[in-house]
Every structure is written in C-alpha cells, then in structure tokens.
C-alpha cells in the first residue's frame, strides 16, 4: 500500500499510515453507499528510508520489492466490493 500511495497519490508514508489505509479500505466494504470514512496518516516515510523504503534492505531480507502493477492489483483487491472505489487522489 505504501508503494501505491507513493506512486499513485504522491504520499510518502510509513508502514503505520499504509496499514491505516488498508484497514480503511477493508472497513469501507461493510459501509453503506454514501458513507464517509476518515483515516489518519500518522507517519511519513522519512523515518523508514533505511529499511522500509530501502530496496537493498528489503531484498537483503529475502523479501520481494513490489512492482507498481502488483500494488495496483492489491489495492483493487482491497477495494473490491466498495462501490465508490479507492478514495482520494488528485483526479477526484
């Protein structure tokens, strides 16, 4: 989610903010149409540059660095069932 937010929305967030957005999208599935949801982006990516945002570190831990297409597909999966799609963005 953090990679999606960076590439699609221009938001440089940390892991806690990314998880808040994921939880909000999951909760949105259960809400009736027209509902308004709010979440908090409580951390920036600045404190996470050497680990969470470091491709070298992630791959050194035998983890896979996500491709943008993967992030797009995951967000689409989270938003499935939510008739208003992904909230936010400059195009709205």
């Amino acid at each position: 989610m953090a990679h999606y937010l960076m590439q699609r929305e221009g938001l440089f967030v940390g892991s806690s903010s990314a998880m808040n957005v994921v939880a909000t999208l999951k909760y949105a599935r259960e809400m009736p149409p027209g509902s308004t949801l709010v979440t908090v982006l409580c951390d920036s990516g600045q404190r996470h540059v050497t680990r969470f945002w470091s491709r070298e570190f992630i791959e050194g831990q035998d983890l896979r660095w996500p491709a943008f297409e993967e992030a797009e597909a995951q967000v689409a999966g989270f938003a499935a069932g939510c008739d208003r799609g992904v909230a936010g963005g400059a195009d709205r």
Side-chain angles (χ1 to χ4, degrees):
M1 178 56 73
H3 289 259
Y4 174 88
L5 291 172
M6 170 64 115
Q7 294 176 2
R8 178 80 182 239
E9 305 293 340
L11 298 172
F12 184 48
V13 301
S15 55
S16 296
S17 292
M19 291 304 295
N20 285 353
V21 172
V22 169
T24 302
L25 286 172
K26 287 185 175 185
Y27 188 68
R29 291 177 172 174
E30 302 170 15
M31 300 300 296
S35 296
T36 299
L37 297 173
V38 176
T39 193
V40 175
L41 300 181
C42 54
D43 60 344
S44 77
Q46 189 60 42
R47 288 187 9 195
H48 306 281
V49 171
T50 60
R51 293 191 178 229
F52 183 73
W53 282 104
S54 169
R55 185 177 194 144
E56 182 178 315
F57 176 80
I58 295 297
E59 291 175 345
Q61 301 299 308
D62 292 326
L63 298 170
R64 199 168 30 88
W65 189 260
F68 181 66
E69 295 78 23
E70 273 184 89
E72 285 274 329
Q74 288 176 345
V75 169
F78 289 134
C82 179
D83 68 345
R84 61 195 160 275
V86 179
D91 57 339
R92 300 220 171 187

